[in-house]
């Protein structure tokens, strides 16, 4: 039987894609983001609070509502990458990929033999996409490696030339720290812009799609610079902003307070 598995690759080939990031563990929020029209919804298992069971429910909700379910795994280990894909993630974001060997390890874990060594057992994916999943998974799944350290900047060509790497995702906060800057989504600093330019150029050289953490103020600029995958919505900070706004408006006080930094 023919199986149609949606792919992030199809979306970014036609337009820059915008995503929502889930630090919390609420399937209704993941579903709402998908229904609002975000192209992809990321469940964060590195810094987020969701368990593997909650992540499964969130990705099911996001996919059913029309978004590509994505998972940032906790570490670059085959068990983490395989478990996220078995739960139905159609793309994985792997943190702290600093060398070509790191990239090869991630790529190997994300694909079935003969191109990789992913173990077969796509329990949730098969129930969603049918038993034919295995025949198309290698082509439909996307692997994004995070570029977020000075070491990774030194090894860009080795990392991004790795077969099986589909995208480079810039972790702006860790990258900023690694460059000697304060953690944040953006810096008007030559070190920061030089790093971004180097990543974009390396992506172009190796046919890899560039992605980045951003927000609604930065999105247009990053897309103009060449990013094709831009995360702009974050569940935790949207909740905090909404709660703070209601409280401040009711008190007549100035905005600000705990959590206002976030990824803003």
């Amino acid at each position: 039987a023919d199986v149609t598995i949606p792919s992030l690759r199809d979306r970014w080939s036609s337009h820059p894609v915008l995503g929502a990031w889930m630090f919390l563990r609420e399937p209704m929020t993941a579903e709402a983001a998908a229904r609002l029209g975000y192209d992809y919804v990321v469940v964060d298992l590195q810094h987020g609070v969701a368990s593997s069971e909650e992540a499964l429910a969130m990705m099911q909700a996001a996919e059913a509502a029309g978004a590509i379910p994505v998972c940032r795994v906790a570490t670059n280990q085959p068990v983490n990458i395989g478990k996220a894909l078995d739960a139905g993630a159609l793309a994985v974001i792997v943190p702290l990929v600093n060398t070509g060997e790191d990239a090869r390890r991630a790529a190997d874990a994300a694909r079935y033999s003969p191109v990789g060594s992913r173990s077969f057992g796509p329990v949730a994916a098969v129930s969603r996409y049918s038993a034919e999943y295995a025949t198309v998974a290698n082509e439909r799944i996307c692997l994004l490696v995070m570029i977020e350290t000075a070491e990774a900047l030194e090894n860009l060509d080795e990392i991004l030339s790795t077969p099986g790497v589909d995208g480079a995702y810039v972790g702006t906060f860790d990258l900023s720290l690694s460059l000697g800057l304060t953690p944040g989504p953006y810096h008007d600093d030559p070190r920061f812009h030089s790093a971004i330019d180097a990543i974009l150029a390396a992506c172009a050289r190796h046919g890899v799609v560039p992605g980045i953490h951003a927000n609604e103020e930065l999105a247009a600029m990053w897309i103009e610079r060449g990013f094709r995958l831009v995360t702009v919505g974050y569940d935790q900070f949207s909740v905090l902003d909404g709660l703070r706004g209601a409280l401040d408006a009711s008190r007549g006080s100035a905005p600000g307070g705990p959590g206002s930094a976030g990824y803003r």
Side-chain angles (χ1 to χ4, degrees), residues 219-241:
M221 178 195 68
W222 286 139
I223 290 169
E224 186 177 351
R225 290 275 289 270
F227 284 97
R228 301 287 294 169
L229 183 142
V230 183
T231 302
V232 295
Y234 305 85
D235 59 352
Q236 180 185 8
F237 306 125
S238 295
V239 170
L240 290 172
D241 287 347

Side-chain angles (χ1 to χ4, degrees), residues 113-192:
S113 180
V115 297
S117 62
R118 177 185 171 191
S119 178
F120 188 77
V123 177
V126 162
S127 70
R128 191 173 310 152
Y129 301 118
S130 95
E132 301 300 314
Y133 168 85
T135 67
V136 294
N138 280 2
E139 291 74 36
R140 304 302 285 163
I141 283 165
C142 292
L143 170 68
L144 296 96
V145 297
M146 291 199 74
I147 304 298
E148 49 187 342
T149 67
E151 183 183 8
L153 292 175
E154 294 295 320
N155 296 315
L156 281 173
D157 286 309
E158 189 181 353
I159 293 168
L160 299 185
S161 65
T162 300
V165 170
D166 301 293
Y169 192 97
V170 182
T172 50
F173 280 63
D174 277 315
L175 182 62
S176 297
L177 281 171
S178 188
L179 295 172
L181 303 166
T182 57
Y186 177 83
H187 293 280
D188 188 14
D189 184 289
R191 290 168 291 178
F192 184 79

